[in-house]
Amino acid sequence: MAYESGITPMNSSSSSLRLARTFLRSFSRIKSRRPTTAASRSAFELRRRSRRIKIAAYSSMARVAGPQRTWARALLFKLNTRARHRTSMRRRCSTMPSAYPDDHVGKLRRLVPGGDGMDVCTLLEETADYIHCLSAQVKVMNAIAHHLSKN
Amino acid sequence: MSSRRSRSRQSGSSRITDDQINDLVSKLQQLLPEIRHSQSDKVSAAKILQETCNYIKNLHREVDDLSERLSELLASSDTAQAAIIRNLLMQ
């Protein structure tokens, strides 16, 4: 995959479109693996599938953002390893000095993938990009849900 | 990778200044629907960071909810919706 957009922000319409396509492609694959209609309605199937949709959502976001983003690399790493040890996510204490109350910066580190190891400036930059991509992803999913429930 | 990162830090400014951080914090403020239109000097940095955390948590929750919603929509669907998804992909 080419990342021709470089480090331009996520709000350009072309990257929104790429995100929509990338997610839809994974999403359609989740659908086609459905064995039978009866089985697809069971609570277990619903949960399993919504988990897979969620993973598809986050991984689409990260792939479209590209490997130059620390949060995207960290998110993909987390998604690739979480199946084995979901609860053993390590939480490193950061030694980076911070100009603002530690609890806010600390909270942000925990919310932004890969935020643990960043200095404050990088953390804030990555946070802005992460929010951009996350809200674009929510828009895409909302649009698909709207589209599917109409029909 | 770590060498590249440390080099870029040095070539920029070795010390992070308050101005740089204030600039980044006000950029964050522009992304937050709750306080986007407040005047930047009226909102403290701590408040902006707190709102940022809340906003990210909300977005995470929305992704959770929408994943469940889409899973349910797929359950109630039939083969016609495979075609709809394909159509969406073509657009």
Side-chain angles (χ1 to χ4, degrees):
Chain A
M1 195 185 288
Y3 300 105
E4 70 286 339
S5 62
I7 49 167
T8 51
M10 210 14 229
N11 56 1
S12 68
S13 62
S14 79
S15 48
S16 295
L17 199 64
R18 249 180 36 229
L19 181 61
R21 278 173 192 278
T22 308
F23 176 67
L24 267 174
R25 219 167 281 138
S26 316
F27 183 64
S28 61
R29 255 178 250 133
I30 290 171
K31 183 185 170 47
S32 65
R33 280 194 205 161
R34 173 170 59 101
T36 63
T37 313
S40 80
R41 282 208 180 82
S42 76
F44 174 78
E45 254 317 283
L46 277 178
R47 260 203 314 278
R48 191 193 69 99
R49 202 170 37 218
S50 85
R51 224 169 71 85
R52 289 187 55 197
I53 293 171
K54 187 171 145 185
I55 291 170
Y58 283 114
S59 100
S60 303
M61 258 175 72
R63 277 179 289 147
V64 170
Q68 71 273 20
R69 282 291 169 194
T70 308
W71 70 258
R73 289 196 307 272
L75 188 52
L76 283 176
F77 179 77
K78 193 169 127 189
L79 290 174
N80 288 335
T81 51
R82 65 176 253 163
R84 294 287 162 266
H85 31 82
R86 284 178 72 194
T87 49
S88 68
M89 292 300 291
R90 281 172 305 138
R91 190 155 294 162
R92 270 175 294 148
C93 287
S94 177
T95 51
M96 300 292 179
S98 127
Y100 289 108
D102 272 332
D103 56 330
H104 293 304
V105 175
K107 266 190 226 159
L108 211 53
R109 281 190 202 287
R110 265 167 265 142
L111 287 168
V112 177
D116 270 352
M118 297 175 193
D119 63 78
V120 180
C121 275
T122 312
L123 178 68
L124 296 176
E125 274 166 14
E126 292 279 326
T127 301
D129 191 67
Y130 184 60
I131 289 179
H132 256 308
C133 297
L134 203 52
S135 48
Q137 180 63 37
V138 166
K139 269 183 209 148
V140 166
M141 292 173 89
N142 252 323
I144 298 173
H146 182 73
H147 203 88
L148 286 180
S149 53
K150 247 192 336 197
N151 293 274
Chain B
M1 196 203 312
S2 58
S3 67
R4 188 192 60 184
R5 194 175 298 159
S6 57
R7 214 184 312 134
S8 72
R9 278 280 156 253
Q10 281 163 7
S11 65
S13 56
S14 51
R15 262 189 63 84
I16 297 166
T17 64
D18 279 359
D19 279 351
Q20 275 176 300
I21 292 183
N22 287 335
D23 189 41
L24 287 164
V25 168
S26 61
K27 271 184 194 147
L28 267 184
Q29 190 192 347
Q30 303 305 309
L31 297 173
L32 305 171
E34 295 272 316
I35 50 171
R36 183 181 293 159
H37 300 297
S38 319
Q39 287 205 325
S40 51
D41 54 337
K42 294 235 174 78
V43 190
S44 70
K47 167 86 175 158
I48 293 172
L49 291 178
Q50 196 189 343
E51 285 298 325
T52 306
C53 291
N54 292 341
Y55 189 49
I56 294 176
K57 277 186 209 153
N58 279 340
L59 288 169
H60 284 164
R61 212 170 299 133
E62 276 190 75
V63 172
D64 283 356
D65 293 348
L66 281 163
S67 299
E68 275 173 38
R69 175 107 191 281
L70 288 172
S71 178
E72 280 163 19
L73 283 167
L74 283 185
S76 62
S77 78
D78 50 26
T79 45
Q81 288 194 344
I84 294 169
I85 293 173
R86 263 199 302 276
N87 278 345
L88 277 171
L89 264 173
M90 293 302 163
Q91 276 165 27

